[in-house]
């Protein structure tokens, strides 16, 4: 049952604070009253003794009648009672005076007796001899000042606790409001709606939580956008060659083609299937790299030899474009995944060839300095615009639309993943119309 009552943090907050307030008020009432009570008794004792002295003085100096004096001094909550004998006081149960033998003797001799209350709840009284009578001055039971004090403290505390409770109800609402808003926003995000209207209203922990939540939602939105974008890019990349293959296959099936047309169309079909095959293996590699499911085989091999091998593999491409190669490679040994790293050089070199003009110049250098291996592939090709620089490492990003048929926009994304996978760094410098230099840095140890 308790579980259900406090399901809301607001109720829990209010219950705890109001409970604490009322508990502390009750405690304050008893403690406060206890402190005031002692002071009151002390001042009452002084007052009673002072009055007793005055009564004796008035009686002796001005010969005022005892009955008149008693009337005169019975005011402001103080009562004067006269007794013929000490034993009468005892009988009337005012105080067990008989317990104070010595003091009674003094009373007879005209001294003022300051009687202490015999119970914690009682009040001090004063007894003295006036003429033949014993006068007792005490607090009038009808107008007990203690009752007044008690009710004042009680009322003040009651008002305090009441106002406090009301303010707590309002304050708790203010504290809980951002949490409620955050809960609603979480629910929206879980439904897939990332466009939430939420603003941090404070700089405290809840404000920090809100702004972190907003950042998280924005990141999720980006990921969601990238995911959708990735799916549409993949579909598009697959659809284009498939449509081409389908179209040319239909034309071949009609059997009305001349021999050269037939050869041309079958060549297109072969190159498009190659493109599809490359695309699916690139995608597979990228997914493996991103999910870290790729097996990292580590061998020690020569980077310079690997770069030469890559150039040999691309021989067809650079020689057909009459590219002039400038190769400057130091002897460097590296321990890592040989197959994956070869892919990096192939991607960088084939881009350099692809984006170079016929008869262009490509420089490949490899150096090792202070445990850092630095491989550079520089071309004097088209270059990359400032706008495209931010996006070249994105999956499927192809800035040069005219050459889009030559690539799938995955080469640099794969190269970046592999280099980072090997604990290295990839960067580039490029000027539009001047050329591009890709730099790969790897730790040699
Ligand atoms: P692609 O298969 O299109 O080459 P990449 O991921 O390898 O895909 O490259 C992405 C884009 O970066 C390219 O489309 C091109 O616009 C740009 N790019 C990469 N390398 C170079 C380069 N050497 N010179 C100019 N542009 C380049």
């Amino acid at each position: 049952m308790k579980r259900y009552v406090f399901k809301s943090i607001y109720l829990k907050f209010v219950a705890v604070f109001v409970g604490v307030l009322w508990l502390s008020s009750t405690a304050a009432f008893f403690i406060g009253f206890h402190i005031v009570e002692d002071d009151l008794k002390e001042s009452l004792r002084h007052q009673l003794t002072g009055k007793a002295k005055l009564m004796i003085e008035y009686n002796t100096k001005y010969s005022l009648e005892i009955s008149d004096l008693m009337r005169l001094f019975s005011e402001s909550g103080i009562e004067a009672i006269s007794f013929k004998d000490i034993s009468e006081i005892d009988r009337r149960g005012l105080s067990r005076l008989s317990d104070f033998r010595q003091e009674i003797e003094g009373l007879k001799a005209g001294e003022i007796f300051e009687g202490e209350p015999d119970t914690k709840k009682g009040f001090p009284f004063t007894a003295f001899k006036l003429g033949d009578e014993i006068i007792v001055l005490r607090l009038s039971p009808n107008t007990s000042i203690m009752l007044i004090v008690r009710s004042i403290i009680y009322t003040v505390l009651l008002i305090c606790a009441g106002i406090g409770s009301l303010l707590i109800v309002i304050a708790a609402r203010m504290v809980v409001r951002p949490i409620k808003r955050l809960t609603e926003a979480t629910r929206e995000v879980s439904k897939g709606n990332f466009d939430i209207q939420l603003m941090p209203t404070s700089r405290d922990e809840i404000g920090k939580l809100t702004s972190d939540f907003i950042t998280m939602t924005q990141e999720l939105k980006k990921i969601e956008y990238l995911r959708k974008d990735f799916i549409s890019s993949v579909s598009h990349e697959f659809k284009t060659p498939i449509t081409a293959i389908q179209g040319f296959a239909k034309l071949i099936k009609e059997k009305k083609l001349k021999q050269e047309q037939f050869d041309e169309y079958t060549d297109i079909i072969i190159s498009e299937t190659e493109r599809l095959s490359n695309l699916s293996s690139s995608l597979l590699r990228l997914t493996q790299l991103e999910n870290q499911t790729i097996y990292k085989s580590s061998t020690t091999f020569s980077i310079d030899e690997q770069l030469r091998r890559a150039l040999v593999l691309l021989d067809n491409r650079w020689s057909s474009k009459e590219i002039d190669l400038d190769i400057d490679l130091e002897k460097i040994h590296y321990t890592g995944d040989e197959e994956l790293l070869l892919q990096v050089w192939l991607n960088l070199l084939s881009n350099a060839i692809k984006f170079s003009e016929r008869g262009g110049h490509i420089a490949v250098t490899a150096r090792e300095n202070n445990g850092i291996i630095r491989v550079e592939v520089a071309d004097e090709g088209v270059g990359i615009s400032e706008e495209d620089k931010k996006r070249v490492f994105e999956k499927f990003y192809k800035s040069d639309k005219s050459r889009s048929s030559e690539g799938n926009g995955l080469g640099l994304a794969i190269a970046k993943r592999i280099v980072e996978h090997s604990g290295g760094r990839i960067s580039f410098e490029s000027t539009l119309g001047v050329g591009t230099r890709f730099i790969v840095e790897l730790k040699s140890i």
Side-chain angles (χ1 to χ4, degrees):
M1 183 63 196
K2 203 174 146 202
R3 250 196 180 150
Y4 289 104
V5 170
F6 291 119
K7 226 175 169 183
S8 130
I9 189 168
Y10 174 69
L11 278 182
K12 205 184 275 183
F13 204 79
V14 169
V16 168
F17 277 87
V18 169
V20 166
L21 186 72
W22 283 91
L23 220 91
S24 53
S25 298
T26 315
F29 171 73
F30 286 111
I31 295 166
F33 186 72
H34 178 74
I35 294 166
V36 175
E37 193 181 30
D38 284 350
D39 286 352
L40 267 178
K41 280 180 182 171
E42 186 56 35
S43 96
L44 187 67
R45 200 172 293 123
H46 271 99
Q47 215 183 331
L48 292 177
T49 313
K51 277 183 191 285
K53 279 179 186 163
L54 270 179
M55 278 177 91
I56 295 167
E57 195 184 324
Y58 284 7
N59 181 252
T60 46
K61 259 193 188 166
Y62 312 113
S63 312
L64 279 174
E65 285 292 322
I66 294 174
S67 56
D68 291 338
L69 279 171
M70 280 175 61
R71 222 177 304 123
L72 200 67
F73 284 87
S74 294
E75 34 91 75
S76 57
I78 288 172
E79 183 183 49
I81 317 161
S82 73
F83 299 95
K84 291 277 175 251
D85 203 317
I86 291 168
S87 57
E88 201 185 330
I89 302 176
D90 265 5
R91 270 204 307 280
R92 284 172 64 174
L94 276 168
S95 179
R96 285 185 296 280
L97 271 188
S98 44
D99 291 346
F100 306 96
R101 295 269 158 227
Q102 217 177 329
E103 284 83 353
I104 293 167
E105 289 309 312
L107 199 70
K108 280 179 190 161
E111 279 174 19
I112 298 169
F113 172 63
E114 289 181 347
E116 284 301 320
D118 42 12
T119 60
K120 190 85 188 80
K121 278 189 168 177
F123 295 106
F125 65 92
T126 304
F128 57 95
K129 200 164 183 289
L130 201 64
D132 295 332
E133 293 180 32
I134 304 281
I135 307 290
V136 170
L137 283 180
R138 63 164 193 175
L139 203 64
S140 162
N142 306 330
T143 54
S144 173
I145 193 148
M146 286 300 161
L147 286 177
I148 299 167
V149 170
R150 208 174 286 193
S151 81
I152 288 174
I153 297 178
Y154 191 68
T155 316
V156 166
L157 283 178
L158 209 72
I159 293 169
C160 275
I163 294 174
S165 304
L166 203 77
L167 290 178
I168 284 167
V169 169
I170 299 165
R173 203 172 277 262
M174 277 164 68
V175 172
V176 171
R177 200 180 296 151
I179 301 177
K180 268 190 164 175
R181 271 199 229 121
L182 206 59
T183 317
E184 277 159 26
T186 321
R187 219 168 284 151
E188 281 301 305
V189 171
S190 70
K191 277 189 230 156
N193 174 19
F194 299 105
D195 296 308
I196 45 154
Q197 302 292 326
L198 202 64
M199 279 289 283
T201 47
S202 59
R203 288 183 177 196
D204 56 13
E205 285 82 353
I206 294 175
K208 180 91 185 36
L209 181 69
T210 312
S211 72
D212 285 349
F213 180 81
I214 295 167
T215 318
M216 186 194 77
T217 314
Q218 284 163 351
E219 288 303 315
L220 281 175
K221 192 178 170 181
K222 265 192 228 159
I223 294 169
E224 178 66 5
Y225 174 76
L226 285 177
R227 194 181 64 86
K228 282 184 183 157
D229 194 44
F230 179 75
I231 293 169
S232 74
S233 301
V234 171
S235 321
H236 177 77
E237 286 298 319
F238 274 95
K239 204 165 177 256
T240 323
I242 288 170
T243 318
I245 293 167
Q246 197 181 31
F248 289 113
K250 273 182 188 164
L251 287 175
I252 292 169
K253 203 187 168 194
E254 283 173 13
K255 294 188 181 120
K256 291 178 198 157
L257 298 174
K258 291 185 200 130
Q259 188 56 42
E260 327 73 273
Q261 279 178 315
F262 181 83
D263 289 345
E264 191 192 339
Y265 295 169
T266 41
D267 278 348
I268 293 173
I269 291 176
I270 291 166
S271 82
E272 289 301 289
T273 46
E274 259 171 28
R275 205 148 89 91
L276 274 178
S277 161
N278 285 342
L279 184 66
S280 33
S281 39
S282 295
L283 267 177
L284 185 66
R285 173 143 290 174
L286 200 62
T287 318
Q288 283 174 333
L289 282 164
E290 280 185 345
N291 298 334
Q292 306 273 317
T293 50
I294 202 156
Y295 177 66
K296 222 177 165 183
S297 67
S298 208
T299 47
T300 302
F301 56 94
S302 161
I303 292 246
D304 48 303
E305 266 173 37
Q306 194 179 48
L307 280 163
R308 276 190 208 98
R309 218 178 104 213
L311 284 164
V312 171
L313 286 170
L314 298 169
D315 177 34
N316 257 347
R317 299 205 205 168
W318 55 264
S319 50
S320 67
K321 263 184 130 178
E322 293 162 21
I323 303 259
D324 171 30
L325 287 180
D326 182 0
I327 302 160
D328 179 8
L329 308 173
E330 269 182 21
K331 191 122 204 75
I332 302 165
H333 285 284
Y334 177 73
T335 305
D337 194 313
E338 191 172 359
E339 197 205 328
L340 284 182
L341 213 58
L342 177 68
Q343 186 71 55
V344 175
W345 313 138
L346 287 174
N347 290 0
L348 295 185
L349 289 168
S350 57
N351 273 349
I353 299 165
K354 187 162 55 182
F355 296 103
S356 283
E357 299 302 329
R358 176 167 286 277
H361 183 93
I362 293 177
V364 185
T365 57
R367 304 240 178 287
E368 187 177 2
N369 210 350
N370 292 331
I372 302 285
I373 300 165
R374 190 179 161 102
V375 177
E376 291 186 10
V377 177
D379 63 62
E380 291 172 358
V382 291
I384 304 168
S385 71
E386 289 305 311
E387 199 196 329
D388 294 331
K389 277 181 182 172
K390 292 173 226 147
R391 303 192 58 191
V392 288
F393 289 113
E394 281 178 22
K395 283 170 250 173
F396 295 110
Y397 190 73
K398 292 181 278 189
S399 59
D400 190 342
K401 302 291 174 219
S402 62
R403 286 169 221 240
S404 61
S405 60
E406 287 184 47
N408 51 33
L410 290 174
L412 285 181
I414 291 175
K416 188 172 160 66
R417 295 293 185 291
I418 295 173
V419 173
E420 282 171 0
H421 196 70
S422 315
R425 235 161 45 111
I426 183 164
S427 57
F428 67 92
E429 298 156 1
S430 184
T431 313
L432 210 59
V434 177
T436 309
R437 175 189 303 270
F438 271 90
I439 304 143
V440 173
E441 286 173 309
L442 298 165
K443 286 185 206 123
S444 63
I445 320 138

